[in-house]
Amino acid sequence: MTGIDLDQAKLDPASVFRAPKDVLAAPGLSREDKKAILIRWEADADALLRATEEGMPPADNRNPGEMLRAVHEAIERLEAGA
């Protein structure tokens, strides 16, 4: 295992990784761990997108739609075996 705090990554992926694609490149994580992290990130991005649509802008100026797209792309790459 690497220096990645797996529990923290599964709880708040954005606090451990800069981008969803970084999860794919993380050494020492199983495919299942990577998928769990990305699924959590997907849920977080989806919640942020809904909040933004309801008039609550994100605190960090990130585009939640773009983040959700990046998460979906990473999940697709993981499932394709990349």
Side-chain angles (χ1 to χ4, degrees), residues 8 14 20 22-23 28 31 34 44 57 62 69:
Q8 181 64 26
D22 296 337
V23 176
R31 186 176 186 278
K34 290 177 182 183
D44 291 348
R62 288 188 181 182
R69 185 204 58 75

Side-chain angles (χ1 to χ4, degrees), residues 8-52:
Q8 181 64 26
K10 287 182 177 181
L11 180 65
D12 183 11
S15 72
V16 177
F17 299 99
R18 290 184 51 193
K21 67 181 180 179
D22 296 337
V23 176
L24 300 178
L29 295 180
S30 70
R31 186 176 186 278
E32 292 77 22
D33 288 335
K34 290 177 182 183
K35 180 137 188 188
I37 291 165
L38 291 169
I39 295 287
R40 176 55 190 247
W41 210 331
E42 178 182 40
D44 291 348
D46 188 52
L48 186 57
L49 182 61
R50 281 193 317 275
T52 301

